[in-house]
């Protein structure tokens, strides 16, 4: 199901995925149907001070039935700290623009807010689509501190993607982002 519902440009190899799931700071959530078949899943990084909903997928024929919402809502209850979500930009033309816009609307309906002004660089090999970061679990706040956002990025780059926390892409993403960082 992982390979069916997650775009190839955003997937990690099956070997990397297996290695992630053997770590204590990762959580795999699955939803089953009445026969015990997995119909949805989520993979979450559970870091100190920030969580990353890295993958959320629902089997194709089961989409648009509230299953993804239920899995997301469960994810929101586990762990501590804000939950960050990587989402493809919806405003770029392309064959899958409607799908991307639907993903953004899905997360917005669930109370996620976009970290404004940040053009997220997903540190995977190959051609990676332009991304944005959304956040959930920050209460009614209208903004985040720039250092808080920098901390999220450093943790995600280091712990999730095995990059240096001083990776120059982090400062490149933050260049021009105003403090406080607005949530939209």
């Amino acid at each position: 199901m992982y390979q069916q519902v997650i775009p190839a440009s955003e997937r990690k190899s099956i070997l990397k995925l297996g290695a992630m799931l053997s770590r204590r700071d990762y959580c795999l959530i699955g939803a089953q149907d009445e026969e015990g078949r997995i119909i949805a899943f989520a993979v979450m990084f559970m870091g100190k001070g920030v969580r990353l909903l890295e993958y959320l997928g629902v089997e194709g024929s089961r989409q648009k039935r509230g299953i993804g919402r239920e899995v997301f809502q469960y994810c929101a209850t586990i762990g501590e700290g804000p939950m960050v979500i990587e989402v493809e930009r919806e405003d770029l033309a392309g064959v899958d623009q409607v799908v991307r816009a639907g993903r953004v609307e899905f997360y917005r309906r669930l109370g996620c807010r976009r970290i404004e002004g940040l053009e997220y660089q997903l540190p995977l090999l190959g051609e990676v689509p332009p991304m944005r970061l959304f956040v959930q679990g920050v209460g009614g706040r209208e903004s985040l501190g720039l250092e808080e956002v920098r901390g999220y990025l450093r943790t995600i780059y280091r712990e999730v993607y095995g990059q240096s926390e001083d990776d120059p892409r982090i400062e490149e993403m933050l260049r021009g982002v105003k403090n406080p960082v607005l949530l939209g």
Side-chain angles (χ1 to χ4, degrees), residues 3-74:
Q3 291 177 321
Q4 291 173 347
V5 299
I6 304 299
S9 60
E10 297 175 38
R11 285 194 305 249
K12 292 181 179 176
S13 73
I14 295 299
L15 288 175
K16 282 188 179 180
L17 186 63
M20 287 169 26
L21 297 177
S22 69
R23 291 173 40 179
R24 296 186 102 131
D25 55 357
Y26 266 91
C27 182
L28 173 65
I29 295 111
Q32 298 177 319
D33 66 8
E34 309 76 37
E35 285 87 45
R37 292 183 300 247
I38 299 293
I39 57 171
F41 71 96
V43 177
M44 263 180 76
F45 166 72
M46 311 288 280
K48 290 185 176 139
V50 67
R51 301 169 291 152
L52 176 67
L53 179 61
E54 198 164 348
Y55 297 109
L56 173 66
V58 177
E59 192 265 320
S61 67
R62 308 283 183 135
Q63 292 179 356
K64 302 202 184 304
R65 296 184 186 181
I67 298 165
R69 175 182 39 80
E70 288 180 26
V71 172
F72 179 88
Q73 289 172 333
Y74 178 76

Side-chain angles (χ1 to χ4, degrees), residues 88-91 96-106:
E88 282 183 78
R89 282 183 54 177
E90 77 284 11
D91 59 341
D96 61 346
Q97 185 176 12
V98 171
V99 173
R100 288 182 276 123
R103 283 188 197 125
V104 167
E105 184 55 32
F106 170 79

Side-chain angles (χ1 to χ4, degrees), residues 71 80 93 147:
V71 172
E80 296 178 9
E147 286 306 309

